[in-house]
Amino acid sequence: MDRENPLVSVIVRTKDRPNLLERGLKSIADQNYRPLEIVLVNDGGVELNIDKLKGLIIDIPLNYIRLESNRGRAFAANTGIKNASGKYVCFLDDDDEYYPEHISTLVSAAIQSDYKIVYTDAIKIRRGFNAVTGQVEEDELGVFSSYDFSYIDLITENYIPLNTILFIRRILLESGCFDEEFELYEDWDLLLRVTDRYHPFHVPKTTVKYIFWDKMYQISQDESKRHKYYNKIFNKHRDKFNADVILHLKKNRDVVEIEFRRILDNYKELENSFKEL
């Protein structure tokens, strides 16, 4: 790629995981794409050694923002978007990592296709702490998902990891960015809103490590929160549950997540439609 490449802003949300953050930032520094900038939002976490972090990313400018208190994932992401300078924006949470060709793959596809949203695939990695050795251990669990965009599928399943996606920043601002009432699935809600207008382009290439932690280390493994925010997704987007979506659910009822079946049970009119098809 040449010097005319558009600037890409990588928004990194972090809280109290400085060692993992260093790994994530190193994966950004290893990208074979330039120019980049990193907008690092510390969501009320421990003080960070900024000089050390700048040493890891070398030629990439760092815009560091420290929130005085924990404001949540959506607020931190919105802070990053508002402080980004790039034409394009992508996201990397502090425990995830990119492969070196991730951003170049996305930008190349975006430019060639003229799509406003482009995404790749992610390999699932389960991490946990070994109590005996005190080390972090990883197991590969295969590709998270790998199929071209389907809005009906997105309504019924949050199947596109945020860290696989490149957005034109303008459309995030137009959409109102992330809904700060969501503590979980804020990315799903955002995608349901922006992809209703802008159809994403899928590149079937694995370029990201998507990390699953043991339940005690990851909010998304908290079943009560998962159920609460599945319901919140449904309530906010229930107008999208038309006959085509119900039929899709019926055809795929064995693979629909348990939490989503519980949502169906909470709304009798939808449950009746589901049974009739």
Side-chain angles (χ1 to χ4, degrees):
M1 294 189 175
D2 59 34
R3 294 182 181 179
E4 299 303 317
N5 290 340
L7 175 65
V8 176
S9 300
V10 184
I11 296 170
V12 180
R13 301 177 288 188
T14 189
K15 184 179 185 293
D16 295 335
R17 298 193 289 197
N19 293 333
L20 292 174
L21 172 64
E22 290 178 12
R23 293 176 61 163
L25 293 181
K26 183 65 167 56
S27 78
I28 299 173
D30 289 343
Q31 292 300 295
N32 59 13
Y33 181 92
R34 294 295 187 275
L36 300 172
E37 72 165 1
I38 296 173
V39 184
L40 176 60
V41 183
N42 183 347
D43 189 17
V46 298
E47 292 284 358
L48 298 173
N49 186 334
I50 300 305
D51 289 337
K52 182 179 181 181
L53 298 183
K54 287 182 177 179
L56 292 174
I57 60 178
I58 309 173
D59 64 327
I60 303 175
L62 175 66
N63 182 356
Y64 176 59
I65 302 162
R66 186 176 190 275
L67 305 178
E68 291 302 316
S69 60
N70 177 230
R71 300 295 301 274
R73 294 151 55 98
F75 185 92
N78 287 343
T79 299
I81 294 168
K82 292 169 185 176
N83 286 275
S85 302
K87 175 180 179 180
Y88 294 105
V89 167
C90 54
F91 297 85
L92 184 72
D93 283 344
D94 57 11
D95 59 341
D96 293 327
E97 297 172 31
Y98 292 153
Y99 292 126
E101 69 280 7
H102 174 65
I103 294 176
S104 62
T105 299
L106 288 168
V107 174
S108 177
I111 291 174
Q112 293 177 29
S113 66
D114 199 32
Y115 277 73
K116 305 296 188 294
I117 307 169
V118 180
Y119 68 99
T120 56
D121 296 332
I123 188 78
K124 295 185 293 184
I125 304 289
R126 180 170 55 209
R127 278 183 182 166
F129 288 101
N130 186 313
V132 177
T133 65
Q135 301 296 313
V136 175
E137 296 183 344
E138 294 186 349
D139 295 310
E140 287 195 8
L141 303 178
V143 176
F144 187 95
S145 61
S146 181
Y147 50 95
D148 292 343
F149 181 72
S150 162
Y151 196 75
I152 286 181
D153 283 321
L154 185 64
I155 292 171
T156 58
E157 181 185 4
N158 186 22
Y159 76 92
I160 307 176
L162 182 64
N163 61 12
T164 65
I165 309 171
L166 181 83
F167 300 90
I168 285 187
R169 178 172 174 265
R170 172 179 55 81
I171 71 169
L172 295 177
L173 296 172
E174 286 176 358
S175 73
C177 300
F178 292 87
D179 185 339
E180 294 172 12
E181 292 188 2
F182 282 83
E183 293 181 33
L184 187 63
Y185 301 135
E186 74 285 351
D187 53 340
W188 191 6
D189 168 67
L190 175 74
L191 285 175
L192 285 169
R193 288 184 282 116
V194 299
T195 61
D196 194 20
R197 181 175 179 185
Y198 299 102
H199 191 93
F201 182 79
H202 173 226
V203 181
K205 181 178 182 179
T206 302
T207 64
V208 170
K209 286 185 179 181
Y210 183 86
I211 308 301
F212 288 85
W213 285 90
D214 291 337
K215 290 184 178 181
M216 66 181 296
Y217 298 112
Q218 186 164 354
I219 183 175
S220 63
Q221 300 300 324
D222 184 327
E223 186 170 343
S224 63
K225 283 187 178 293
R226 286 164 62 94
H227 184 53
K228 174 182 177 180
Y229 287 102
Y230 263 98
N231 274 285
K232 193 171 182 65
I233 287 285
F234 179 85
N235 282 321
K236 184 171 180 179
H237 298 280
R238 63 183 300 158
D239 62 304
K240 299 178 173 69
F241 286 81
N242 55 32
D244 289 338
V245 174
I246 303 303
L247 181 59
H248 182 76
L249 280 169
K250 180 175 176 61
K251 288 180 177 178
N252 297 278
R253 64 189 308 163
D254 291 336
V255 298
V256 174
E257 292 195 40
I258 292 172
E259 292 88 345
F260 204 89
R261 295 194 201 112
R262 290 175 180 168
I263 292 174
L264 295 177
D265 291 340
N266 288 336
Y267 297 91
K268 295 302 180 183
E269 73 278 13
L270 188 57
E271 181 184 22
N272 292 335
S273 299
F274 186 78
K275 290 176 179 178
E276 290 171 2
L277 292 170

PDB file of all heavy atoms in Angstrom, residues 49 79 101 136 185 202 205 232 237 240-241 250 269:
ATOM      1  N   ASN A  49       1.623   2.695  32.615  1.00  0.00           N
ATOM      2  CA  ASN A  49       2.943   3.226  32.287  1.00  0.00           C
ATOM      3  C   ASN A  49       2.928   3.638  30.811  1.00  0.00           C
ATOM      4  O   ASN A  49       3.208   2.833  29.922  1.00  0.00           O
ATOM      5  CB  ASN A  49       4.020   2.172  32.548  1.00  0.00           C
ATOM      6  CG  ASN A  49       5.426   2.714  32.353  1.00  0.00           C
ATOM      7  OD1 ASN A  49       5.647   3.668  31.608  1.00  0.00           O
ATOM      8  ND2 ASN A  49       6.391   2.096  33.013  1.00  0.00           N
ATOM      9  N   THR A  79     -16.293   7.272  23.749  1.00  0.00           N
ATOM     10  CA  THR A  79     -15.206   8.220  23.999  1.00  0.00           C
ATOM     11  C   THR A  79     -14.109   8.035  22.956  1.00  0.00           C
ATOM     12  O   THR A  79     -13.555   9.011  22.434  1.00  0.00           O
ATOM     13  CB  THR A  79     -14.634   8.017  25.414  1.00  0.00           C
ATOM     14  OG1 THR A  79     -15.669   8.250  26.377  1.00  0.00           O
ATOM     15  CG2 THR A  79     -13.476   8.975  25.679  1.00  0.00           C
ATOM     16  N   GLU A 101      -1.902  -9.015   9.325  1.00  0.00           N
ATOM     17  CA  GLU A 101      -2.545  -8.550   8.096  1.00  0.00           C
ATOM     18  C   GLU A 101      -3.986  -8.093   8.312  1.00  0.00           C
ATOM     19  O   GLU A 101      -4.703  -7.801   7.337  1.00  0.00           O
ATOM     20  CB  GLU A 101      -2.524  -9.662   7.042  1.00  0.00           C
ATOM     21  CG  GLU A 101      -3.406 -10.856   7.354  1.00  0.00           C
ATOM     22  CD  GLU A 101      -2.820 -11.856   8.344  1.00  0.00           C
ATOM     23  OE1 GLU A 101      -1.739 -11.580   8.930  1.00  0.00           O
ATOM     24  OE2 GLU A 101      -3.444 -12.919   8.527  1.00  0.00           O
ATOM     25  N   VAL A 136      -1.038 -18.066  32.118  1.00  0.00           N
ATOM     26  CA  VAL A 136      -2.236 -18.059  31.296  1.00  0.00           C
ATOM     27  C   VAL A 136      -2.114 -19.161  30.253  1.00  0.00           C
ATOM     28  O   VAL A 136      -1.092 -19.291  29.578  1.00  0.00           O
ATOM     29  CB  VAL A 136      -2.422 -16.705  30.596  1.00  0.00           C
ATOM     30  CG1 VAL A 136      -3.614 -16.754  29.637  1.00  0.00           C
ATOM     31  CG2 VAL A 136      -2.630 -15.599  31.623  1.00  0.00           C
ATOM     32  N   TYR A 185     -23.567  -6.638  25.087  1.00  0.00           N
ATOM     33  CA  TYR A 185     -24.204  -6.668  23.764  1.00  0.00           C
ATOM     34  C   TYR A 185     -24.399  -5.276  23.176  1.00  0.00           C
ATOM     35  O   TYR A 185     -25.257  -5.068  22.308  1.00  0.00           O
ATOM     36  CB  TYR A 185     -25.528  -7.419  23.796  1.00  0.00           C
ATOM     37  CG  TYR A 185     -25.397  -8.850  24.245  1.00  0.00           C
ATOM     38  CD1 TYR A 185     -26.282  -9.395  25.157  1.00  0.00           C
ATOM     39  CD2 TYR A 185     -24.376  -9.656  23.754  1.00  0.00           C
ATOM     40  CE1 TYR A 185     -26.158 -10.707  25.576  1.00  0.00           C
ATOM     41  CE2 TYR A 185     -24.249 -10.966  24.174  1.00  0.00           C
ATOM     42  CZ  TYR A 185     -25.135 -11.494  25.093  1.00  0.00           C
ATOM     43  OH  TYR A 185     -24.999 -12.791  25.503  1.00  0.00           O
ATOM     44  N   HIS A 202     -18.143  -9.114   3.747  1.00  0.00           N
ATOM     45  CA  HIS A 202     -17.425 -10.133   4.512  1.00  0.00           C
ATOM     46  C   HIS A 202     -16.207 -10.629   3.747  1.00  0.00           C
ATOM     47  O   HIS A 202     -16.303 -11.005   2.585  1.00  0.00           O
ATOM     48  CB  HIS A 202     -18.356 -11.319   4.806  1.00  0.00           C
ATOM     49  CG  HIS A 202     -17.677 -12.481   5.449  1.00  0.00           C
ATOM     50  ND1 HIS A 202     -17.868 -13.781   5.021  1.00  0.00           N
ATOM     51  CD2 HIS A 202     -16.802 -12.554   6.485  1.00  0.00           C
ATOM     52  CE1 HIS A 202     -17.154 -14.588   5.766  1.00  0.00           C
ATOM     53  NE2 HIS A 202     -16.488 -13.869   6.660  1.00  0.00           N
ATOM     54  N   LYS A 205     -11.536 -14.560   5.862  1.00  0.00           N
ATOM     55  CA  LYS A 205     -10.144 -14.765   6.242  1.00  0.00           C
ATOM     56  C   LYS A 205     -10.011 -14.526   7.735  1.00  0.00           C
ATOM     57  O   LYS A 205     -10.540 -13.542   8.264  1.00  0.00           O
ATOM     58  CB  LYS A 205      -9.241 -13.797   5.467  1.00  0.00           C
ATOM     59  CG  LYS A 205      -7.757 -13.929   5.774  1.00  0.00           C
ATOM     60  CD  LYS A 205      -6.947 -12.960   4.907  1.00  0.00           C
ATOM     61  CE  LYS A 205      -5.456 -13.108   5.179  1.00  0.00           C
ATOM     62  NZ  LYS A 205      -4.649 -12.182   4.331  1.00  0.00           N
ATOM     63  N   LYS A 232     -33.147  -7.033  26.630  1.00  0.00           N
ATOM     64  CA  LYS A 232     -33.053  -5.620  26.267  1.00  0.00           C
ATOM     65  C   LYS A 232     -32.908  -5.467  24.748  1.00  0.00           C
ATOM     66  O   LYS A 232     -33.519  -4.574  24.144  1.00  0.00           O
ATOM     67  CB  LYS A 232     -31.869  -4.973  26.992  1.00  0.00           C
ATOM     68  CG  LYS A 232     -31.873  -3.457  26.923  1.00  0.00           C
ATOM     69  CD  LYS A 232     -30.819  -2.880  27.843  1.00  0.00           C
ATOM     70  CE  LYS A 232     -30.842  -1.359  27.813  1.00  0.00           C
ATOM     71  NZ  LYS A 232     -32.095  -0.801  28.356  1.00  0.00           N
ATOM     72  N   HIS A 237     -35.501  -3.921  19.672  1.00  0.00           N
ATOM     73  CA  HIS A 237     -35.567  -4.236  18.242  1.00  0.00           C
ATOM     74  C   HIS A 237     -36.730  -5.161  17.890  1.00  0.00           C
ATOM     75  O   HIS A 237     -36.716  -5.795  16.835  1.00  0.00           O
ATOM     76  CB  HIS A 237     -34.239  -4.872  17.797  1.00  0.00           C
ATOM     77  CG  HIS A 237     -33.058  -3.971  17.971  1.00  0.00           C
ATOM     78  ND1 HIS A 237     -32.753  -2.966  17.078  1.00  0.00           N
ATOM     79  CD2 HIS A 237     -32.120  -3.915  18.951  1.00  0.00           C
ATOM     80  CE1 HIS A 237     -31.657  -2.334  17.488  1.00  0.00           C
ATOM     81  NE2 HIS A 237     -31.256  -2.886  18.618  1.00  0.00           N
ATOM     82  N   LYS A 240     -38.372  -5.650  14.456  1.00  0.00           N
ATOM     83  CA  LYS A 240     -37.686  -6.373  13.384  1.00  0.00           C
ATOM     84  C   LYS A 240     -38.093  -7.843  13.320  1.00  0.00           C
ATOM     85  O   LYS A 240     -37.714  -8.556  12.383  1.00  0.00           O
ATOM     86  CB  LYS A 240     -36.172  -6.255  13.562  1.00  0.00           C
ATOM     87  CG  LYS A 240     -35.648  -4.817  13.501  1.00  0.00           C
ATOM     88  CD  LYS A 240     -34.153  -4.776  13.724  1.00  0.00           C
ATOM     89  CE  LYS A 240     -33.594  -3.373  13.506  1.00  0.00           C
ATOM     90  NZ  LYS A 240     -34.018  -2.428  14.534  1.00  0.00           N
ATOM     91  N   PHE A 241     -38.832  -8.313  14.307  1.00  0.00           N
ATOM     92  CA  PHE A 241     -39.208  -9.730  14.353  1.00  0.00           C
ATOM     93  C   PHE A 241     -40.468  -9.974  13.529  1.00  0.00           C
ATOM     94  O   PHE A 241     -41.554 -10.181  14.044  1.00  0.00           O
ATOM     95  CB  PHE A 241     -39.395 -10.177  15.807  1.00  0.00           C
ATOM     96  CG  PHE A 241     -38.108 -10.348  16.546  1.00  0.00           C
ATOM     97  CD1 PHE A 241     -37.460  -9.248  17.084  1.00  0.00           C
ATOM     98  CD2 PHE A 241     -37.512 -11.591  16.672  1.00  0.00           C
ATOM     99  CE1 PHE A 241     -36.260  -9.384  17.753  1.00  0.00           C
ATOM    100  CE2 PHE A 241     -36.313 -11.737  17.336  1.00  0.00           C
ATOM    101  CZ  PHE A 241     -35.681 -10.631  17.876  1.00  0.00           C
ATOM    102  N   LYS A 250     -37.582 -20.864  13.443  1.00  0.00           N
ATOM    103  CA  LYS A 250     -38.121 -22.218  13.462  1.00  0.00           C
ATOM    104  C   LYS A 250     -37.182 -23.186  12.739  1.00  0.00           C
ATOM    105  O   LYS A 250     -36.905 -24.280  13.227  1.00  0.00           O
ATOM    106  CB  LYS A 250     -39.505 -22.254  12.816  1.00  0.00           C
ATOM    107  CG  LYS A 250     -40.135 -23.648  12.809  1.00  0.00           C
ATOM    108  CD  LYS A 250     -41.553 -23.607  12.277  1.00  0.00           C
ATOM    109  CE  LYS A 250     -42.142 -25.018  12.186  1.00  0.00           C
ATOM    110  NZ  LYS A 250     -42.206 -25.681  13.492  1.00  0.00           N
ATOM    111  N   GLU A 269     -47.162 -13.563  22.175  1.00  0.00           N
ATOM    112  CA  GLU A 269     -47.577 -13.361  20.799  1.00  0.00           C
ATOM    113  C   GLU A 269     -46.502 -13.874  19.835  1.00  0.00           C
ATOM    114  O   GLU A 269     -46.821 -14.438  18.786  1.00  0.00           O
ATOM    115  CB  GLU A 269     -47.891 -11.884  20.523  1.00  0.00           C
ATOM    116  CG  GLU A 269     -46.697 -10.946  20.443  1.00  0.00           C
ATOM    117  CD  GLU A 269     -46.174 -10.481  21.797  1.00  0.00           C
ATOM    118  OE1 GLU A 269     -46.571 -11.083  22.821  1.00  0.00           O
ATOM    119  OE2 GLU A 269     -45.394  -9.529  21.822  1.00  0.00           O
TER     120      GLU A 269
END
